[in-house]
Amino acid sequence: MSHHPAAPQAHGAAARQREGTSAKGALHLIPVGLGDAPPERWLPAEVRALAGRLDTYIAENAKTARAFLKLIGTARPLQEITIHTLSDKVDAAQIKAWLDPIQSGAEIGLVSEAGCPAVADPGAKVVDAAHRLGMTVKPWVGPSSILLALMASGLDGQRFAFHGYAPVDPAERARQLRAWEQHSAKHNQTQLLIETPYRNAAMFATLLASLKGDTKLCVARSVTTADEWIATRSVADWKRQPAPQLDKLPTLFLYLAR
């Protein structure tokens, strides 16, 4: 009987060895807020505690990362926490150098500008590097504007595609929106996109002008914040009422064609 407690531990170590992941250290994927809202509303206590004790981070923007850490509280002064900035100039060798301490048991956090790291986010290349180096990658629960908007839209949640930004040129943008609408109708697939907040009104107008009247369109504004507003209507119904207030507020647009 005395051997039984050790068996699962040995099995776990053997499994880790077979899977090629490090038995020590980890890259923690920690979601940050989508806007101005108390962290207790969007981040579980266990994740806040973990984020507060880490002493090294990789972030798209160091200033944003410090604001996040100040909001949740840290075990050590902010100036003692190392934050590596993931700019476009950072190459694979630099990312490897940042991750190398994980091989010796270190824990490093990865955060995005907003929401979940590595989802529609440059942090994906850090996660890819960690896997190639055989390191443990741990995703943590937190807000994803894409999934929250999809959940609340009432549109198809089994088949969907997130496109990021549509083309900036008005004519090209309209053509792309119609092409996505045709694909949506053919495959019963929800289309998701975002826009730079100050261009939200123009995007909304282009959607109404480009899509068919019976296509369902969802507008998901400022998810998880006090300004949150989510509504799904047909394009024809949207045209019969005043446009929503979207200026300078983070917004996702989702649509599903028949």
Side-chain angles (χ1 to χ4, degrees):
M1 295 294 292
S2 62
H3 293 291
H4 289 178
Q9 183 176 1
H11 175 76
R16 285 193 296 270
Q17 187 174 10
R18 288 196 305 271
E19 292 160 2
T21 57
S22 173
K24 298 180 179 180
L27 175 66
H28 295 280
L29 313 185
I30 302 172
V32 300
L34 300 173
D36 187 16
E40 299 81 20
R41 181 175 175 179
W42 46 263
L43 197 65
E46 183 180 358
V47 187
R48 298 199 304 272
L50 167 71
R53 69 172 174 79
L54 297 180
D55 60 12
T56 304
Y57 276 87
I58 299 172
E60 187 177 357
N61 184 298
K63 182 178 180 181
T64 304
R66 290 190 187 95
F68 163 67
L69 293 173
K70 184 177 180 181
L71 183 66
I72 64 169
T74 55
R76 67 198 75 221
L78 277 176
Q79 58 267 29
E80 294 181 12
I81 297 175
T82 299
I83 300 178
H84 302 299
T85 301
L86 187 62
S87 70
D88 293 336
K89 299 178 181 178
V90 173
D91 60 16
Q94 183 62 75
I95 292 174
K96 181 180 182 302
W98 290 344
L99 295 175
D100 272 345
I102 292 177
Q103 305 282 24
S104 301
E107 294 181 290
I108 295 176
L110 175 67
V111 292
S112 177
E113 276 285 83
C116 295
V119 177
D121 174 73
K125 60 186 177 182
V126 177
V127 178
D128 178 57
H131 283 301
R132 285 188 282 105
L133 293 167
M135 296 173 174
T136 297
V137 175
K138 290 190 65 64
W140 291 93
V141 173
S144 164
S145 60
I146 297 170
L147 287 180
L148 291 171
L150 184 62
M151 287 163 57
S153 70
L155 305 181
D156 196 295
Q158 294 189 27
R159 292 166 293 273
F160 57 91
F162 176 69
H163 299 290
Y165 294 92
V168 175
D169 177 76
E172 187 180 354
R173 180 173 55 201
R175 284 195 296 271
Q176 183 62 78
L177 293 175
R178 286 192 290 268
W180 288 337
E181 183 183 39
Q182 291 171 4
H183 188 86
S184 175
K186 182 177 180 180
H187 299 283
N188 195 38
Q189 183 188 70
T190 300
Q191 310 296 297
L192 299 89
L193 62 145
I194 55 175
E195 182 54 277
T196 303
Y198 72 85
R199 289 203 294 257
N200 280 337
M203 171 57 75
F204 182 73
T206 304
L207 285 163
L208 296 193
S210 305
L211 302 182
K212 296 179 179 179
D214 61 354
T215 291
K216 287 187 175 181
L217 172 64
C218 174
V219 177
R221 181 191 72 192
S222 300
V223 177
T224 75
T225 75
D227 292 320
E228 179 178 282
W229 182 81
I230 303 171
T232 299
R233 300 183 177 99
S234 70
V235 168
D237 285 342
W238 279 116
K239 289 180 177 179
R240 286 192 280 266
Q241 55 192 275
Q245 174 53 251
L246 305 176
D247 188 44
K248 298 180 181 179
L249 296 171
T251 303
L252 279 92
F253 302 94
L254 309 84
Y255 60 92
L256 180 64
R258 294 184 177 182

